[in-house]
């Protein structure tokens, strides 16, 4: 059987689940975005540091060649016979310099090839050589398929000047180390060309991925670091961590909302918003079918779930410690609805909880209610047989005080408990209410039917009046009347109804009672008065 608390709190749990899912989604997106931004900031910072170190190393490789270029520019007017030994020595002493050449209109003086009889520089040199302080080439006629950096100082038509060639393999190695260290793509950009270390190739600079960091050197090159897409794994971990944190936050939110918005909060909110209302089921004297009173029944119309069954919300109130507060709320509603009650004496049965009986405030609360109701209303405190089991002096004292103050006592659902006869004789009780399960057994032929007769005999022996609950058929009504049961209630006579409807029903109940009495006497072979 489902837990009533779960049934009661299901709308709250659905609301808490929905809110938690929204919180989880928002937290996931925000955390993911924030971690991504922080990660990118860290990446940019690391990339800038890596670019700065690499730029400094490249400067150390280019500057010596730049100094050689400036020194030879002053000597380029000398004939090759005087320069070739000096060129060879300068190229050999500088680690990163591959070769040095002085160009004349009709020949070339090379650092390790000596004199070359033809100046063919204009046929293979890139156009930007004369415009840029530094030029990157993938190969040259002397050393094929090996990149180099060229420094030129001379005439724009390339007929006369000095060319220093820096070995590109050193740059490949340095770029490869930097790329592996930073897990990014580190490129040396010179003009429109770029050198990649890991790929060991020269490409167009426009084909590089967007830069995380770039540093320009006054020597005519730029170090650019781009996302080499090696962070996909780290990115996945970041989003996984964001999902984990967001999920934990969502769980915390869900449990926090359930703790704050559980059945107890639902019940409190329902009382504050007046979601509870009262119905009244008339009680009739079976002898003449006159209306003697009514039993007060509480109902709850939940804004989402609709009508909640009384056994569910009463169980929830008991389990959450709110049953006494809920009973006092019933008293407040009762006072508002019946403050202007008119008519003769009218018995009003009010169901009470065991917690109210045992916390010592029952007598005080009932006397306060009695004082606020019209004098023609007779309060009847209904307590189940199970609530009265035990020898608690406080229970007996409260029942005696209530009875002394004019409040009658009824044992509800009689026959379903296990009270001893001796204990029942000591209780200050006015009525025994026969549980409807025994009444319904009259039509079903159940083994409980004989038990009903025993209960009726016991009630008469104890000197208490009897009230049968749940009468639904004429056969049940005739049997109970024949056995001397004084009062009855059930759908056979009237369903529970709100107070305005009860007033209208009572207005017509007198004529109906007379008609019913006539029918009853005819059955007995008598004439009506």
């Amino acid at each position: 059987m489902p837990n009533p608390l779960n049934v009661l709190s299901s709308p709250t749990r659905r609301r808490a689940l929905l809110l938690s899912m929204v919180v989880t989604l928002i937290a996931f997106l925000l955390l993911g975005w924030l971690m991504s931004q922080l990660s990118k900031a860290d990446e940019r910072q690391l990339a800038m540091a890596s670019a700065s170190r690499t730029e400094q190393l490249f400067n150390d490789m280019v500057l010596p060649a730049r100094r050689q270029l400036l020194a030879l520019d002053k000597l380029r007017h000398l004939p090759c016979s005087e320069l070739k030994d000096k060129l060879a020595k300068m190229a050999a002493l500088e680690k990163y310099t591959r070769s040095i050449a002085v160009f004349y209109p009709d020949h070339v003086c090379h650092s390790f090839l000596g004199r070359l009889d033809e100046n063919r520089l204009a046929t293979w040199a890139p156009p930007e050589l004369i415009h840029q302080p530094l030029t990157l080439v993938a190969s040259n006629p002397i050393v094929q398929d090996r990149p180099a950096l060229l420094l030129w100082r001379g005439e724009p038509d390339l007929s006369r000047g000095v060319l220093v060639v820096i070995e590109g393999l050193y740059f490949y190695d340095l770029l490869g180390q930097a790329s592996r260290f930073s897990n990014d793509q580190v490129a040396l950009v010179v003009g429109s060309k770029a050198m990649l270390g890991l790929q060991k190739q020269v490409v167009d600079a426009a084909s590089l991925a967007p830069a995380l960091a770039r540093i320009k050197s006054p020597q005519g090159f730029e170090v650019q670091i781009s996302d080499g897409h090696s962070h996909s794994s780290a990115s996945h971990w970041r989003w996984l961590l964001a999902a984990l944190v967001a999920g934990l936050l969502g769980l915390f939110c869900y449990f926090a909302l359930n703790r704050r918005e559980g059945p107890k909060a639902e019940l409190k909110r329902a009382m504050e918003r007046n979601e509870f209302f009262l119905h009244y089921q008339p009680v009739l004297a079976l002898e003449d079918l006159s209306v003697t009173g009514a039993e007060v029944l509480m109902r709850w119309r939940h804004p989402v779930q609709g009508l909640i069954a009384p056994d569910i919300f009463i169980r929830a109130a008991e389990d959450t410690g709110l049953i006494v507060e809920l009973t006092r709320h019933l008293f407040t509603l009762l006072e508002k609805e019946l403050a202007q009650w008119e008519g003769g004496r009218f018995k009003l049965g009010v169901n009470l909880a065991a917690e109210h009986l045992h916390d010592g405030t029952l007598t005080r609360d009932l006397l306060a209610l009695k004082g606020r109701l019209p004098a023609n209303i007779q309060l009847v405190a209904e307590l189940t047989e199970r609530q009265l089991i035990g020898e608690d002096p406080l229970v007996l004292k409260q029942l005696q005080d209530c009875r002394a103050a004019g409040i009658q006592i009824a044992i509800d659902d009689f026959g379903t408990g296990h009270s001893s006869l001796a204990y029942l004789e000591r209780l200050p009780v006015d009525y025994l209410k026969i549980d409807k399960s025994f009444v319904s057994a009259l039509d079903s032929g159940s083994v409980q039917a004989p038990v009903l007769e025993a209960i009726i005999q016991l009630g008469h022996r104890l000197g208490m009046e009897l009230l049968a609950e749940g009468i639904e058929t004429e056969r049940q009504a005739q049997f109970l009347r024949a056995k001397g049961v004084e009062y009855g209630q059930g759908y056979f006579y009237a369903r529970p109804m709100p107070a305005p409807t009860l007033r209208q029903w009572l207005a017509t109940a007198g004529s109906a009672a007379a008609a019913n009495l006539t029918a009853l006497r005819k059955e007995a072979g008598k004439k009506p008065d």
Side-chain angles (χ1 to χ4, degrees):
M1 181 176 180
N3 188 340
L5 286 175
N6 293 336
V7 176
L8 175 61
S9 60
S10 59
T12 296
R13 291 187 176 182
R14 286 196 296 269
R15 188 164 54 246
L17 179 61
L18 179 60
L19 288 174
S20 300
M21 290 173 64
V22 172
V23 168
T24 300
L25 178 60
I26 294 175
F28 172 69
L29 294 175
L30 286 178
L31 284 172
W33 177 83
L34 181 60
M35 293 175 69
S36 177
Q37 294 303 307
L38 291 175
S39 177
K40 287 181 180 178
D42 289 341
E43 289 175 10
R44 284 192 292 269
Q45 186 175 2
L46 291 173
M48 284 298 295
S50 178
S52 179
R53 288 194 300 269
T54 306
E55 185 262 348
Q56 185 59 51
L57 292 173
F58 284 167
N59 279 336
D60 293 342
M61 297 167 71
V62 173
L63 278 173
R66 181 78 63 189
R67 287 194 289 267
Q68 289 178 329
L69 183 68
L70 294 175
L72 288 171
D73 185 53
K74 300 176 182 179
L75 303 176
R76 64 181 182 174
H77 62 283
L78 297 176
C80 185
S81 58
E82 297 182 23
L83 283 178
K84 63 178 183 179
D85 291 339
K86 187 173 184 63
L87 294 180
K89 182 178 180 181
M90 291 177 68
L93 292 177
E94 184 53 55
K95 176 180 179 182
Y96 301 110
T97 299
R98 179 196 296 173
S99 63
I100 303 173
V102 178
F103 288 82
Y104 302 91
D106 56 354
H107 67 280
V108 179
C109 189
H110 198 272
S111 57
F112 65 87
L113 295 177
R115 178 186 170 92
L116 301 174
D117 292 333
E118 188 178 2
N119 180 351
R120 301 179 59 191
L121 180 60
T123 63
W124 63 267
E128 58 266 25
L129 180 65
I130 61 175
H131 304 296
Q132 298 178 173
L134 194 65
T135 303
L136 174 62
V137 293
S139 64
N140 62 78
I142 299 176
V143 181
Q144 298 288 334
D145 299 324
R146 285 176 63 176
L149 287 169
L150 309 179
L151 292 87
W152 168 258
R153 191 173 182 85
E155 301 301 327
D157 61 359
L158 304 180
S159 62
R160 187 181 295 275
V162 180
L163 182 69
V164 178
V165 180
I166 303 175
E167 176 60 64
L169 295 180
Y170 294 115
F171 289 86
Y172 271 158
D173 293 341
L174 183 56
L175 288 169
Q177 292 175 10
S179 296
R180 284 187 287 271
F181 176 78
S182 64
N183 289 323
D184 284 312
Q185 184 188 75
V186 183
L188 173 67
V189 179
V190 182
S192 61
K193 299 295 183 180
M195 177 185 286
L196 302 177
L198 291 177
Q199 294 84 353
K200 295 187 180 299
Q201 60 182 352
V202 175
V203 299
D204 289 335
S207 66
L208 297 178
L212 289 173
R214 58 163 56 95
I215 292 183
K216 291 185 177 181
S217 169
Q219 302 304 318
F221 65 86
E222 177 181 298
V223 176
Q224 177 175 313
I225 297 185
S226 305
D227 190 347
H229 304 288
S230 58
H231 300 284
S232 57
S233 177
S235 177
H236 292 160
W237 279 107
R238 285 196 297 270
W239 283 105
L240 183 61
L241 179 60
L244 178 62
V245 174
L248 291 175
L249 183 61
L251 282 175
F252 174 80
C253 180
Y254 175 74
F255 287 117
L257 286 172
N258 269 325
R259 182 180 180 85
R260 183 177 64 86
E261 298 286 344
K264 187 171 185 178
E266 286 263 16
L267 290 168
K268 281 182 171 291
R269 185 168 53 247
M271 286 186 275
E272 293 170 358
R273 297 179 179 178
N274 291 318
E275 295 174 8
F276 291 101
F277 60 96
L278 302 181
H279 274 181
Y280 305 83
Q281 186 170 37
V283 175
L284 290 81
L286 296 184
E287 179 63 27
D288 59 6
L289 299 185
S290 60
V291 181
T292 61
E295 180 182 2
V296 182
L297 303 170
M298 179 173 264
R299 299 289 186 261
W300 181 12
R301 180 172 284 106
H302 193 278
V304 176
Q305 225 178 347
L307 286 175
I308 305 292
D311 58 334
I312 291 178
F313 70 76
I314 290 173
R315 167 74 180 278
E318 290 173 343
D319 290 348
T320 57
L322 288 177
I323 189 63
V324 175
E325 187 175 342
L326 186 61
T327 303
R328 289 171 182 156
H329 184 65
L330 181 148
F331 290 173
T332 301
L333 297 176
L334 196 60
E335 176 191 349
K336 291 178 181 178
E337 293 188 355
L338 303 183
Q340 304 300 322
W341 188 265
E342 297 178 354
R345 184 178 177 81
F346 194 79
K347 296 180 181 180
L348 205 61
V350 180
N351 291 281
L352 301 172
E355 289 81 0
H356 211 162
L357 188 65
H358 292 285
D359 75 350
T361 64
L362 178 63
T363 303
R364 181 194 68 193
D365 291 343
L366 283 174
L367 291 179
L369 175 63
K370 182 176 184 295
R372 294 192 293 267
L373 290 175
N376 59 337
I377 291 183
Q378 167 70 59
L379 277 180
V380 180
E382 298 187 6
L383 299 153
T384 65
E385 185 180 357
R386 296 182 185 87
Q387 293 170 315
L388 296 172
I389 294 175
E391 301 289 340
D392 190 346
L394 178 62
V395 172
L396 292 174
K397 177 69 168 56
Q398 288 189 98
L399 294 180
Q400 292 167 353
D401 291 343
C402 286
R403 205 156 182 242
I407 298 172
Q408 295 183 327
I409 308 297
I411 297 181
D412 200 6
D413 301 333
F414 186 72
T416 59
H418 305 280
S419 299
S420 67
L421 179 61
Y423 181 61
L424 290 174
E425 288 177 334
R426 291 198 303 271
L427 291 174
V429 175
D430 299 284
Y431 305 97
L432 292 182
K433 297 189 70 173
I434 302 172
D435 187 71
K436 62 182 180 181
S437 62
F438 298 107
V439 176
S440 62
L442 291 172
D443 290 336
S444 64
S446 168
V447 295
Q448 291 192 15
V451 179
L452 175 60
E453 293 194 49
I455 291 173
I456 295 172
Q457 292 174 6
L458 176 61
H460 289 155
R461 177 181 172 183
L462 293 172
M464 301 176 187
E465 293 186 299
L466 298 172
L467 190 158
E469 298 180 295
I471 301 175
E472 296 182 352
T473 66
E474 175 65 29
R475 181 173 182 274
Q476 294 170 355
Q478 289 178 355
F479 178 88
L480 294 168
R481 187 167 52 248
K483 293 297 180 180
V485 176
E486 289 84 358
Y487 305 100
Q489 69 181 90
Y491 286 179
F492 180 67
Y493 301 112
R495 290 176 176 270
M497 62 191 78
T501 307
L502 177 64
R503 287 187 173 92
Q504 297 174 4
W505 188 87
L506 289 174
T508 60
S511 57
N516 289 328
L517 181 58
T518 299
L520 291 173
R521 287 178 175 177
K522 282 183 178 180
E523 290 178 8
K526 299 179 181 180
K527 295 182 180 180
D529 296 336

